[in-house]
Amino acid sequence: MEYKNIELNDYEAIKALINDDERVLYKEAIGEDYSHDELGAVKKMPDLVVQAACTEDVSKVMKYAYDNNIVVTPRGSGTGLVGAAVPIYGGIVIDLSRMNKILEIDEENLTLTLEPGVLLMEIGKYVEEFDLFYPPDPGEKTATIGGNISTNAGGMRAVKYGVTRDFIRGLEVVLPNGEVTNLGGKVVKNSSGYALKDLIIGAEGTLGIVTKAILKLLPLPKKAISLLIPFPDLDRAIETVPKIIKSKTIPTAIEFMQRAAIVAAEEFLGKKFPDSQSDAYILLTFDGNSKEEIEASYEKVANICLENGALDVLISDTEERQESIWSARGAFLEAIKASTTEMDEVDVVVPRNKVAEFIKYTHQLEEKHEIRIRSFGHAGDGNLHIYILKDALDEETWNKKLLEVMEDMYAKGRELKGQVSGEHGIGLAKRPYLKKAVPEENLLIMKGIKKAFDPSNILNPGKVI
Amino acid sequence: MEYKNIELNDYEAIKALINDDERVLYKEAIGEDYSHDELGAVKKMPDLVVQAACTEDVSKVMKYAYDNNIVVTPRGSGTGLVGAAVPIYGGIVIDLSRMNKILEIDEENLTLTLEPGVLLMEIGKYVEEFDLFYPPDPGEKTATIGGNISTNAGGMRAVKYGVTRDFIRGLEVVLPNGEVTNLGGKVVKNSSGYALKDLIIGAEGTLGIVTKAILKLLPLPKKAISLLIPFPDLDRAIETVPKIIKSKTIPTAIEFMQRAAIVAAEEFLGKKFPDSQSDAYILLTFDGNSKEEIEASYEKVANICLENGALDVLISDTEERQESIWSARGAFLEAIKASTTEMDEVDVVVPRNKVAEFIKYTHQLEEKHEIRIRSFGHAGDGNLHIYILKDALDEETWNKKLLEVMEDMYAKGRELKGQVSGEHGIGLAKRPYLKKAVPEENLLIMKGIKKAFDPSNILNPGKVI
């Protein structure tokens, strides 16, 4: 692919389009942060950064890029884990984090209209004031909603509520040629032509740039309760999960964790978890509108766990206790990261009744490849977060082992009829594994779709496919 | 578009592929039913019908068609309302209604795997035995699940549970070149490349032929209750709906109906509705796991209705009473049809707080165009079903008036930021209105997507776009 290099006259032209010099950064003025996301392993500086303030900014810059064959990479707050926001061909980064206004809450249609740069943690806080609820709950609360849409982020509450896709009613999108279009709207149903909105969701900024979103909200559940359930070992903990699903209760979230992750989180946060004596835990939340409604569910689940070897059932019904548990859960990733020199992750998703088999397999891989592997994740929806840790390995050994472990894990994922990524996306890092997992036919169709949106391949090329 | 005409040697070749003469029908042997769906206004006989019995049948025939440039139209039980299953270019119809086996219920993953020809009414019955629930509930229970997937059918319960798309975990699809591929699976989350599964959903059999589906199930709610609420007039009835939504209760369904529709249904069914004295009604259902849980919701809603002018609140808590109300609701379409010589329908969807405005507008159109218009529909999700009735009009006047009324209605739909179709799809009949409603850019992208799947445009051409 041959793209035009950015030169001084492009900088001048784009400055003139944006009409605010401070929001157009050129070469040396660009901070190092723009060269990477949380993947870390891949870095590349863009030649120009535009900090967009409105849809028009995005549209104008995109149109200029289209007319001049310049490559563009959109970026939210840079918390992605697969390199989707890294400008691997240089060119322009459009930073959407300043487009962070909440535009409208519509209580009659239960929607929230907002710009893509609004952070996930702000959405929850904002809608709660109206007794409303935006269920998707990925661990990374400083991600933007635009980023969440672009990866179809899932999070903890997917067991009961589903993923980001299920809560996007409408999108405003700037297409690769700079045109602004609207997909969906405040409507609840839609069977009007191909599902373009659903294509943009999860496309990691390769088909269009989301500049506005209409989210679906729900009434805020009045009560929530968490159960922390210690088990003598991880197998018994995870094997209980399909039995919970089968029992026809619907927990909001079911997470699993091992002592090692908890201890690391305790150290990292400098505070104690309610219990860290046991080898493995499952953590459940139930929400609903009354204590009675929730109690009926969790008593059933508590009994199932005890029948399947649980050592105890710790109930957290105060906000403080729940906060302490979930903040530890939220710190797992950072804690694991702090415990090693470098790491890489696998975000595979398997059918829920295959989680135990997959985790057991990662333990075999630890021995086989003599490398430390840590995992935690969404036992209730089959989405695992598995971290391969470099520790004291030298660069060469690390790269070799990492590749082998990855190959093994994704092969196992395919064997269990899983998918490469549950919620982090493909970006740059997972492309080889997507290629192996998906039939050639499907990849060709995906390429055709990319071409339909972006015939000159200027929007975030080299990602996903 | 130039397609190869089917000749005797094609018939022989396809018979050899299928290896069961009785399931391959040629010319005169083809029944008239294959020439149309419920749209009625457009008819065209296919040259060959294959009653597929398995995925391989579909794949072989599709591959033959691809190699020979023959046009193929897939068909379920033919209950579509927009002509999507009409073979307007002749060629082959692949009838999927014999692929009607339920393959697996998986209680640990809460999924049901089945063939596309299974009827909607069979799904509900089957999963109930396992205390499970497939929520999508379109009025037409003799539709196939394949048809429901292809139109992204919605139905009554979309208010609480969403539409077909929300309950499709995975699909097996035969592509236009005959290749069989799998999209999604039993996994709960997926961020692995472009959302091809979501593209197939709602594509009305123009991108691929669904040969297997994995549905998401929920635990069956233990209780349900219906409220029939008479109002002195339709405006007051419909204007109450956004207030119900705003009250943060979540009814399963909110339907509106007028006396005329009820009386027609009473005559059609030969049995009485619980009440038909009032001008307008809203009908609500609530479901949940305990009487208390439901009661708290419906008492709140009943009070809101009474405060907003409702004349009464009729509670149906026995299965028999609910059955009598909902069977009348289910008969509306047939009853209206029986009351006139010919009719056409509009399936527009608008934001929920615009339903009243739209219905008022249809009343103005009745006067303006001097034509009878009847409507009922999903007040709770903004999806209206509006029927324009020919009655004693002569053909020429009818065609003229119908066109004018349609133009007016879709213009109003656009003004209210609605969409052309909430759940019936675009097919053949709504193409001109989709073209007006959707930006040129989007249509071009849709055409590009069609090309990515079906470069020779042999699968159900002339539909949707």
Side-chain angles (χ1 to χ4, degrees):
Chain A
M1 282 166 291
E2 279 293 313
Y3 299 111
K4 182 184 178 310
N5 286 324
I6 300 257
E7 283 154 39
L8 197 60
N9 64 329
D10 298 309
Y11 170 49
E12 296 296 344
I14 288 172
K15 261 204 304 193
L17 291 173
I18 295 299
N19 210 6
D20 177 352
D21 293 3
E22 289 184 13
R23 294 191 287 106
V24 184
L25 314 175
Y26 185 56
K27 304 230 157 147
E28 292 70 31
I30 298 172
E32 189 268 347
D33 269 1
Y34 282 109
S35 70
H36 65 90
D37 63 8
E38 290 289 319
L39 172 65
V42 186
K43 297 189 182 197
K44 168 84 187 176
M45 287 297 285
D47 302 305
L48 191 102
V49 169
V50 177
Q51 294 169 342
C54 60
T55 302
E56 257 208 310
D57 282 353
V58 180
S59 168
K60 280 179 190 166
V61 173
M62 201 68 236
K63 189 163 178 11
Y64 183 88
Y66 180 78
D67 291 340
N68 292 281
N69 199 38
I70 296 168
V71 71
V72 171
T73 308
R75 179 187 177 90
S77 59
T79 60
L81 290 160
V82 292
V86 181
I88 49 171
Y89 293 96
I92 302 170
V93 160
I94 300 184
D95 175 356
L96 297 142
S97 62
R98 288 193 181 202
M99 289 179 65
N100 59 359
K101 285 193 289 298
I102 290 178
L103 301 171
E104 185 207 30
I105 187 154
D106 179 342
E107 293 184 87
E108 288 185 340
N109 288 300
L110 296 187
T111 57
L112 182 74
T113 306
L114 75 186
E115 292 183 329
V118 176
L119 302 185
L120 199 57
M121 58 188 178
E122 289 162 2
I123 298 172
K125 234 182 341 186
Y126 184 87
V127 303
E128 262 185 34
E129 302 275 306
F130 297 85
D131 246 346
L132 291 168
F133 181 43
Y134 176 69
D137 186 32
E140 179 55 84
K141 304 291 186 281
T142 65
T144 63
I145 185 67
N148 269 221
I149 293 167
S150 297
T151 52
N152 187 26
M156 331 259 188
R157 299 193 191 113
V159 188
K160 178 167 180 177
Y161 291 104
V163 297
T164 303
R165 182 183 305 286
D166 301 308
F167 291 87
I168 305 299
R169 290 253 188 257
L171 294 176
E172 179 189 83
V173 174
V174 173
L175 296 169
N177 63 4
E179 293 284 329
V180 183
T181 195
N182 283 282
L183 308 172
K186 285 185 182 175
V187 295
V188 173
K189 292 173 170 174
N190 193 5
S191 298
S192 311
Y194 299 150
L196 301 186
K197 169 175 67 89
D198 281 284
L199 261 183
I200 296 287
I201 299 168
E204 305 182 41
T206 64
L207 301 180
I209 301 178
V210 172
T211 48
K212 207 179 283 175
I214 303 175
L215 310 184
K216 165 186 168 182
L217 303 176
L218 293 179
L220 185 67
K222 292 191 182 64
K223 305 254 175 224
I225 206 163
S226 292
L227 301 186
L228 181 66
I229 305 182
F231 280 86
D233 55 68
L234 189 66
D235 289 354
R236 255 180 285 188
I238 296 181
E239 278 165 7
T240 307
V241 175
K243 294 174 184 151
I244 296 172
I245 302 290
K246 204 171 165 178
S247 78
K248 277 135 194 158
T249 51
I250 313 181
T252 311
I254 314 178
E255 301 285 304
F256 76 91
M257 52 195 73
Q258 284 186 275
R259 186 165 49 196
I262 294 172
V263 171
E266 285 181 329
E267 279 170 21
F268 184 78
L269 292 171
K271 50 184 185 185
K272 282 281 169 201
F273 200 64
D275 184 279
S276 58
Q277 297 303 304
S278 300
D279 189 55
Y281 295 81
I282 61 177
L283 171 58
L284 296 108
T285 314
F286 294 85
D287 64 17
N289 285 321
S290 70
K291 217 180 143 197
E292 297 70 37
E293 187 189 331
I294 299 177
E295 260 172 13
S297 293
Y298 81 65
E299 282 175 11
K300 199 170 171 186
V301 169
N303 286 328
I304 292 170
C305 290
L306 291 168
E307 282 159 21
N308 284 275
L311 301 168
D312 199 353
V313 173
L314 307 167
I315 300 174
S316 300
D317 50 5
T318 66
E319 237 173 74
E320 294 70 37
R321 289 198 63 178
Q322 291 189 48
E323 169 59 27
S324 91
I325 295 181
W326 285 97
S327 71
R329 164 64 184 86
F332 283 172
L333 175 56
E334 288 303 317
I336 292 175
K337 213 177 190 176
S339 80
T340 187
T341 51
E342 199 180 321
M343 63 184 207
D344 205 342
E345 59 109 46
V346 167
D347 163 52
V348 78
V349 59
V350 296
R352 295 190 260 211
N353 62 347
K354 303 292 181 195
V355 171
E357 186 174 347
F358 198 94
I359 294 294
K360 271 185 229 175
Y361 183 70
T362 67
H363 294 160
Q364 291 165 20
L365 290 183
E366 269 192 297
E367 289 179 26
K368 175 179 164 194
H369 296 285
E370 294 179 334
I371 193 161
R372 200 157 63 102
I373 296 176
R374 284 290 170 270
S375 61
F376 59 86
H378 312 305
D381 60 37
N383 183 203
L384 307 171
H385 298 324
I386 302 160
Y387 299 88
I388 305 115
L389 309 179
K390 186 182 173 198
D391 294 343
L393 295 176
D394 65 75
E395 203 60 25
E396 195 186 334
T397 318
W398 161 242
N399 286 328
K400 187 172 162 291
K401 284 190 187 229
L402 180 62
L403 194 69
E404 289 167 0
V405 172
M406 288 270 187
E407 293 281 351
D408 282 351
M409 277 199 203
Y410 285 109
K412 187 72 180 176
R414 294 194 293 275
E415 180 197 320
L416 299 178
K417 303 208 170 176
Q419 298 281 341
V420 174
S421 169
E423 57 185 13
H424 296 166
I426 300 301
L428 199 60
K430 309 300 182 202
R431 282 178 63 194
Y433 305 110
L434 184 72
K435 211 174 158 182
K436 275 196 187 163
V438 164
E440 181 61 26
E441 272 312 301
N442 299 21
L443 289 175
L444 279 174
I445 292 172
M446 289 186 197
K447 279 182 188 156
I449 290 169
K450 170 69 173 164
K451 208 169 173 188
F453 278 86
D454 183 15
S456 23
N457 198 28
I458 54 166
L459 185 60
N460 211 359
K463 311 292 170 60
V464 185
I465 47 158
Chain B
M1 280 165 294
E2 279 293 313
Y3 298 110
K4 181 185 179 307
N5 287 324
I6 300 257
E7 283 154 40
L8 197 60
N9 65 328
D10 298 310
Y11 170 49
E12 297 296 343
I14 288 171
K15 260 203 305 190
L17 291 174
I18 295 300
N19 209 6
D20 177 352
D21 293 4
E22 287 185 14
R23 294 191 286 106
V24 184
L25 314 175
Y26 184 55
K27 302 232 159 146
E28 292 70 31
I30 299 172
E32 189 268 346
D33 268 2
Y34 282 110
S35 70
H36 65 91
D37 64 8
E38 290 290 319
L39 172 65
V42 185
K43 296 189 183 197
K44 168 84 187 174
M45 287 297 285
D47 302 305
L48 190 102
V49 169
V50 177
Q51 294 170 342
C54 59
T55 302
E56 256 207 312
D57 283 352
V58 179
S59 169
K60 281 180 191 165
V61 173
M62 201 68 236
K63 189 162 178 12
Y64 184 87
Y66 181 78
D67 291 340
N68 292 282
N69 201 38
I70 296 169
V71 70
V72 171
T73 307
R75 179 187 177 90
S77 60
T79 60
L81 290 160
V82 292
V86 182
I88 50 172
Y89 294 96
I92 302 170
V93 159
I94 300 184
D95 175 356
L96 297 142
S97 62
R98 287 193 181 201
M99 288 178 66
N100 59 0
K101 285 193 289 297
I102 291 178
L103 301 171
E104 185 208 31
I105 187 154
D106 179 341
E107 293 184 87
E108 288 185 339
N109 288 301
L110 296 186
T111 56
L112 183 74
T113 305
L114 74 187
E115 292 184 329
V118 177
L119 303 185
L120 199 56
M121 56 188 180
E122 290 162 2
I123 298 173
K125 233 180 340 183
Y126 184 86
V127 302
E128 261 185 36
E129 302 275 307
F130 297 84
D131 245 344
L132 291 169
F133 180 42
Y134 176 69
D137 186 33
E140 179 55 84
K141 303 291 186 281
T142 63
T144 62
I145 186 68
N148 270 222
I149 292 167
S150 297
T151 53
N152 187 23
M156 330 261 189
R157 299 194 192 113
V159 187
K160 179 167 180 177
Y161 291 104
V163 297
T164 302
R165 181 184 305 286
D166 301 308
F167 291 88
I168 305 299
R169 290 252 188 257
L171 294 176
E172 178 189 83
V173 174
V174 173
L175 295 170
N177 62 4
E179 292 285 330
V180 183
T181 194
N182 282 283
L183 308 172
K186 284 186 182 176
V187 295
V188 173
K189 293 172 169 174
N190 193 4
S191 297
S192 311
Y194 299 151
L196 302 185
K197 169 175 68 90
D198 282 283
L199 262 182
I200 296 287
I201 299 167
E204 304 181 42
T206 64
L207 301 181
I209 302 178
V210 173
T211 48
K212 206 179 284 175
I214 303 175
L215 310 183
K216 165 187 167 180
L217 303 175
L218 293 179
L220 184 66
K222 293 192 181 63
K223 305 253 174 221
I225 205 162
S226 292
L227 300 186
L228 181 66
I229 305 183
F231 280 86
D233 55 68
L234 188 66
D235 289 355
R236 254 179 287 187
I238 296 180
E239 280 165 6
T240 306
V241 175
K243 292 172 185 153
I244 296 172
I245 303 289
K246 205 172 164 176
S247 77
K248 276 133 195 159
T249 51
I250 313 181
T252 311
I254 314 177
E255 301 285 304
F256 76 91
M257 51 194 73
Q258 284 186 275
R259 184 164 51 196
I262 293 172
V263 171
E266 284 181 330
E267 280 170 21
F268 183 80
L269 292 172
K271 52 183 182 183
K272 282 283 169 199
F273 201 64
D275 183 280
S276 60
Q277 297 302 305
S278 300
D279 190 55
Y281 295 81
I282 61 177
L283 171 58
L284 296 108
T285 313
F286 294 85
D287 64 17
N289 284 323
S290 70
K291 218 180 143 198
E292 298 69 39
E293 186 189 331
I294 299 178
E295 259 172 13
S297 293
Y298 81 66
E299 281 174 11
K300 199 168 170 187
V301 169
N303 286 329
I304 291 170
C305 290
L306 291 169
E307 281 160 24
N308 284 276
L311 301 169
D312 200 353
V313 173
L314 308 167
I315 299 174
S316 301
D317 49 6
T318 66
E319 237 174 75
E320 294 71 36
R321 290 198 63 178
Q322 292 189 47
E323 168 61 27
S324 90
I325 296 181
W326 285 98
S327 71
R329 164 65 185 86
F332 283 171
L333 174 57
E334 289 303 317
I336 292 176
K337 213 177 191 176
S339 80
T340 189
T341 51
E342 198 180 322
M343 64 184 207
D344 205 343
E345 60 108 45
V346 166
D347 163 52
V348 79
V349 59
V350 295
R352 295 191 258 211
N353 62 348
K354 302 294 180 194
V355 171
E357 186 174 345
F358 198 94
I359 293 295
K360 273 185 227 176
Y361 182 71
T362 67
H363 294 159
Q364 290 165 21
L365 291 182
E366 269 193 298
E367 289 181 24
K368 177 181 163 193
H369 295 287
E370 294 178 334
I371 193 160
R372 202 157 64 100
I373 297 176
R374 284 289 171 270
S375 61
F376 59 86
H378 313 305
D381 60 37
N383 183 205
L384 306 171
H385 298 324
I386 301 161
Y387 298 88
I388 306 117
L389 309 179
K390 186 183 173 199
D391 293 343
L393 295 176
D394 65 74
E395 203 61 24
E396 194 186 333
T397 318
W398 162 242
N399 285 329
K400 188 170 161 291
K401 283 189 187 231
L402 180 62
L403 194 69
E404 289 167 359
V405 171
M406 289 269 188
E407 293 280 351
D408 282 352
M409 277 198 204
Y410 285 109
K412 189 70 181 178
R414 292 193 294 273
E415 182 197 319
L416 298 178
K417 305 208 169 175
Q419 298 282 341
V420 173
S421 169
E423 57 186 13
H424 295 166
I426 300 302
L428 201 60
K430 309 301 182 202
R431 282 178 63 195
Y433 305 109
L434 183 72
K435 210 173 160 183
K436 274 196 188 165
V438 164
E440 181 60 26
E441 273 311 303
N442 299 20
L443 290 175
L444 278 174
I445 292 172
M446 289 185 197
K447 279 181 189 158
I449 290 169
K450 170 70 173 162
K451 208 170 171 185
F453 279 86
D454 183 15
S456 23
N457 199 27
I458 54 165
L459 184 60
N460 212 356
K463 310 293 170 60
V464 186
I465 47 160

